Amino acid sequence: MTETTETTRELPPLHLALLPIVLTLGLLAIQLFYYGDFTPHIPLVLGLAITGLLGVMRGQKWMDIREGVFHVIHVSMPSLSVLIVVGMIIGVWIASGTVPTLIYYGLTLLNPQIFLAAAMILCAVVSLSLGTSWGTVGTIGVALMGIGAGFGIPPYWTAGAIVSGAFFGDKVSPLSDTTNLAPAVTGVNIFDHIKNMLPTTVPAMLIALTVYLVAGYSLITPAATSFERIDAITDTLSAQFTLGIIPLIPALVVVALAVAKRPPLPSLFTGVLLGAIVAIFWQGAGLHDVFSYAQSGYTIETGVADIDSLLNAGGIQSMMWTISLMLIALGFGGALERTGCLESIINAIISRVTSFSAVQSSAIATAFATNVVAGDPYISIALPGRMYAPLYRGMGYSTLNLSRAVEEGGTLMSPLIPWNAGGAFVITALSLNIMGGDLTNLLYIPLAFACWTAPLIGILYALTGWFSPRATDEERQDWDRQDEDILDLDGHALSDETTA
């Protein structure tokens, strides 16, 4: 086992490491709150430039920093690909009648009072099957937003329930990229990792389910439900589209492929192709029309405002705002990582924590803070996972605790940060329309109860010692066999790999 305090690269001092982050957050605050302009792109571009300048001034070569920027972007290309396919799915599935059919039957069969709870559970099941929270939000989530609008439920409540279910299903799905990434960087088995997340996942889901049920019965009463509005929506949908079982085939096939553990991207693209076939042969759309829906989104003018606002959506171009934001945010995160700024900050935190409760809480907080600063859930899992693992080993605790911590601060908090890749996607896919300065729909953030209660439960366990496994003899033997780095607790300094 490696125990050393020698470093192979000089990291920037803490005050310099914090400088580009503080300046970037200040620019974001000015853009968002002073100007009321929800376009964080330029502040993040300036943050990338500031970080690069800091690295060059400290003797790093620009080409090396650029390599770090493009490396992080390259790692996240599968997620960007999902965004493109989801944009196509939304436009094509509306044209095929898949989304309209789901909205129609949702409005006619669901009880408005249990809708929020049902939406969360449905998204959790679909996300668990697909292994992608983004795919769930962009498919079934879009239909649920339409059903919620038909019931007169504020969109931020519906979005909160969708996010709670979709990202929790993603967190415990063995098909999910983040669920595989967390155990990979912390050196644990994926199924042990999933099992160890259940003590926080299950209570958080039960809390969210209870809140959504109470909210449903408190905020929505049968007397207050506008059945005239629901009738107007369902009548218009049945007049504009040929509904039935055929339009549901694309969604059913995608779910079947997910259950069969097929890769998410080909499965979702299969949904696009089947949606196109149904749109042409069942709804009477032309081939060029389908191309347009996949590229620019579906358009319709029914004269019913609720329908038009719901169904004028989708297309690759609808995702370009989010994709451009992700590219910039990923580049900023890559620059922070390559210049050593993030490592310097994490090292400063690690050098000050001595108890397990402090370490576990710090790991959750670090993953969250990396999400806020770097805008990328992958960095927020990978970097703290690498940096904290030797400390857990040195304290004799299983790194299963760490893999759970970075999932809670990384995967679950990603959709709650508007300029993060996850948050930007949720805002775009669910048409929350906050770019014009009306930030009301950002209320989905506190209403995504399952996402932010899980980290709090994790911190509670850290303080009490509950569900905080010690390293087994088998784990210690694995550390020895794989020559894993262990923190020198006497010197309280990092080993080679984590500072290199």
Side-chain angles (χ1 to χ4, degrees):
M1 298 184 190
T2 306
E3 294 192 16
T4 178
T5 61
E6 183 183 353
T7 62
T8 58
R9 184 180 67 177
E10 182 182 359
L11 299 177
L14 182 60
H15 67 281
L16 285 182
L18 287 170
L19 182 62
I21 295 172
V22 172
L23 291 176
T24 303
L25 292 178
L27 291 170
L28 279 170
I30 292 172
Q31 177 81 331
L32 299 179
F33 303 113
Y34 181 76
Y35 292 118
D37 183 355
F38 189 82
T39 48
H41 300 62
I42 300 306
L44 291 173
V45 168
L46 294 175
L48 196 163
I50 293 169
T51 307
L53 180 61
L54 172 66
V56 171
M57 291 177 62
R58 286 184 48 78
Q60 283 187 276
K61 295 181 179 179
W62 163 246
M63 295 303 292
D64 181 52
I65 299 173
R66 192 188 75 165
E67 181 183 348
V69 170
F70 289 132
H71 171 72
V72 173
I73 292 175
H74 174 73
V75 168
S76 299
M77 285 305 295
S79 296
L80 293 172
S81 302
V82 169
L83 277 178
I84 293 174
V85 176
V86 166
M88 297 171 66
I89 271 189
I90 294 173
V92 172
W93 278 18
I94 294 174
S96 68
T98 304
V99 171
T101 298
L102 290 170
I103 294 173
Y104 178 89
Y105 287 116
L107 289 173
T108 54
L109 299 176
L110 282 176
N111 182 337
Q113 294 175 308
I114 67 168
F115 167 71
L116 292 174
M120 186 197 76
I121 293 173
L122 181 59
C123 285
V125 171
V126 172
S127 185
L128 181 64
S129 301
L130 292 177
T132 166
S133 52
W134 290 9
T136 303
V137 169
T139 53
I140 192 67
V142 174
L144 289 170
M145 289 297 290
I147 298 170
F151 286 146
I153 298 173
Y156 44 82
W157 269 104
T158 305
I162 291 169
V163 170
S164 288
F167 280 81
F168 253 81
D170 191 1
K171 179 189 172 191
V172 295
S173 172
L175 302 177
S176 166
D177 49 4
T178 54
T179 306
N180 281 272
L181 176 62
V185 298
T186 55
V188 298
N189 177 272
I190 181 173
F191 294 104
D192 291 337
H193 165 67
I194 292 173
K195 181 179 178 181
N196 194 56
M197 287 192 296
L198 295 180
T200 56
T201 302
V202 173
M205 289 290 277
L206 291 176
I207 290 171
L209 181 65
T210 301
V211 171
Y212 294 138
L213 285 172
V214 171
Y217 281 94
S218 300
L219 300 176
I220 306 166
T221 62
T225 302
S226 176
F227 291 102
E228 292 82 3
R229 182 184 187 186
I230 293 174
D231 289 341
I233 293 175
T234 54
D235 290 346
T236 304
L237 288 175
S238 59
Q240 296 289 332
F241 298 91
T242 303
L243 307 178
I245 190 63
I246 299 297
L248 295 179
I249 290 177
L252 294 174
V253 169
V254 169
V255 172
L257 290 172
V259 172
K261 298 183 178 181
R262 301 301 181 188
L265 194 61
S267 299
L268 291 171
F269 190 71
T270 300
V272 174
L273 296 179
L274 290 175
I277 292 171
V278 174
I280 294 172
F281 293 101
W282 190 254
Q283 304 295 347
L287 178 61
H288 184 257
D289 292 330
V290 172
F291 287 171
S292 297
Y293 301 147
Q295 168 69 12
S296 304
Y298 188 79
T299 57
I300 190 173
E301 293 184 8
T302 65
V304 179
D306 290 331
I307 292 291
D308 293 347
S309 64
L310 292 174
L311 301 186
N312 285 282
I316 292 175
Q317 292 304 314
S318 71
M319 294 295 166
M320 285 300 112
W321 188 94
T322 303
I323 289 173
S324 62
L325 175 58
M326 281 185 63
L327 289 171
I328 296 168
L330 291 168
F332 178 47
L336 287 171
E337 184 177 19
R338 184 56 62 98
T339 55
C341 290
L342 292 180
E343 291 184 39
S344 178
I345 295 169
I346 294 176
N347 286 357
I349 296 171
I350 291 177
S351 67
R352 290 167 173 79
V353 293
T354 56
S355 66
F356 170 75
S357 60
V359 171
Q360 185 74 358
S361 301
S362 297
I364 295 172
T366 301
F368 171 65
T370 306
N371 248 330
V372 172
V373 172
D376 176 43
Y378 298 100
I379 293 178
S380 70
I381 292 173
L383 189 61
R386 291 199 308 265
M387 300 292 290
Y388 277 86
L391 180 55
Y392 279 80
R393 298 186 190 109
M395 300 183 77
Y397 277 87
S398 172
T399 49
L400 285 169
N401 298 289
L402 175 59
S403 64
R404 187 176 70 198
V406 295
E407 280 261 58
E408 289 165 352
T411 303
L412 292 181
M413 300 307 290
S414 168
L416 308 188
I417 303 165
W419 56 86
N420 186 280
F425 173 73
V426 166
I427 290 167
T428 302
L430 299 184
S431 300
L432 295 180
N433 300 323
I434 65 173
M435 288 69 173
D438 182 6
L439 305 183
T440 303
N441 283 338
L442 285 182
L443 287 172
Y444 87 87
I445 295 172
L447 297 178
F449 294 99
C451 291
W452 58 264
T453 54
L456 296 181
I457 295 171
I459 292 173
L460 174 64
Y461 290 161
L463 295 173
T464 60
W466 300 342
F467 302 106
S468 303
R470 292 270 188 173
T472 64
D473 291 339
E474 183 180 357
E475 282 182 279
R476 294 175 185 274
Q477 291 171 5
D478 286 340
W479 299 344
D480 195 13
R481 187 164 48 250
Q482 297 170 16
D483 196 29
E484 296 282 11
D485 290 315
I486 294 181
L487 190 71
D488 178 2
L489 292 177
D490 292 331
H492 215 76
L494 290 175
S495 57
D496 288 340
E497 182 182 299
T498 56
T499 55

